[in-house]
Amino acid sequence: MMKLFCLLVVGSAAFHTPSSPRKNRRLAHQASQVRGVARPARLYDENSENANFLETLALFRRIGAAATLDALLEGLKTRSVDFGRRDNIQWDHEEYRSTDGVKALYDAAHVDPFSFRSDFFRSLAPRDVARLNDFWVALRSEPYCKLLTGASDPTTVSELRDGEDRYVRRVKIDDVLYTFSLAKRGDKWGVEWILSEPDADV
């Protein structure tokens, strides 16, 4: 009787043993493939560089518009390699790589989640960008793709502050001008829309 009780205890402990982090990430990836969800996994080590970037951006969104846009532009340029330069998002058996820049802009975008058409990307026809998958498809399209793959760094052409809760900046990347309109909602800054147009001086 005692032997049977010991076997039940051991079996119960084995049954309730939590899965390893690697197994959890693998299962999450498999589940997203089955559901057809094309979005980066939000599984980051709290001590990783990725987590530090997202935490810093969250702080900047409370500090000011200029700091927020600086961080977003840097993220798009240096932390969106897979979105901008490859056909498929890369899975390294731990996490999706180099997607933080796009995710950061998506999280900071003032897009109505229930709207089927949004003019967030002003140079494109209004479209549904409420889902991350549709958002980054639009971002990879001409003329916005140079935010991800431009050879030159963003150069500020002009900026304007409208009161305490509006900020507009025009930047140049290669031969394209991008105008970012930011607004403060609650206590955080976010991007209202982005306009892209060719540089008339080129």
Side-chain angles (χ1 to χ4, degrees), residues 30-43:
Q30 290 174 347
S32 69
Q33 295 297 100
V34 172
R35 294 192 299 269
V37 178
R39 65 181 61 191
R42 302 192 179 201
L43 301 173

Side-chain angles (χ1 to χ4, degrees), residues 39-72:
R39 65 181 61 191
R42 302 192 179 201
L43 301 173
Y44 299 109
D45 180 347
E46 63 181 4
N47 297 315
S48 72
E49 186 179 354
N50 294 332
N52 291 337
F53 164 69
L54 297 176
E55 290 174 0
T56 300
L57 177 60
L59 177 62
F60 284 167
R61 291 186 65 190
R62 297 179 182 277
I63 292 176
T68 297
L69 185 53
D70 287 342
L72 289 172

Side-chain angles (χ1 to χ4, degrees), residues 49-153:
E49 186 179 354
N50 294 332
N52 291 337
F53 164 69
L54 297 176
E55 290 174 0
T56 300
L57 177 60
L59 177 62
F60 284 167
R61 291 186 65 190
R62 297 179 182 277
I63 292 176
T68 297
L69 185 53
D70 287 342
L72 289 172
L73 289 171
E74 177 66 17
L76 290 172
K77 177 70 175 178
T78 63
R79 297 175 180 274
S80 304
V81 176
D82 290 338
F83 277 105
R85 300 178 185 173
R86 306 187 185 191
D87 293 332
N88 297 305
I89 304 173
Q90 301 298 304
W91 174 258
D92 69 353
H93 305 291
E94 291 290 338
E95 64 183 9
Y96 289 104
R97 304 288 294 176
S98 304
T99 60
D100 284 12
V102 174
K103 176 187 174 297
L105 178 60
Y106 174 74
D107 287 345
H110 290 166
V111 175
D112 182 355
F114 301 105
S115 175
F116 291 104
R117 292 185 180 274
S118 169
D119 61 350
F120 180 85
F121 296 99
R122 288 284 174 93
S123 305
L124 303 175
R127 60 175 66 190
D128 183 4
V129 294
R131 295 189 311 160
L132 178 57
N133 184 50
D134 298 321
F135 186 91
W136 76 260
V137 167
L139 189 56
R140 278 182 47 169
S141 304
E142 291 282 356
Y144 290 94
C145 57
K146 287 193 176 181
L147 289 169
L148 306 174
T149 62
S152 62
D153 292 327

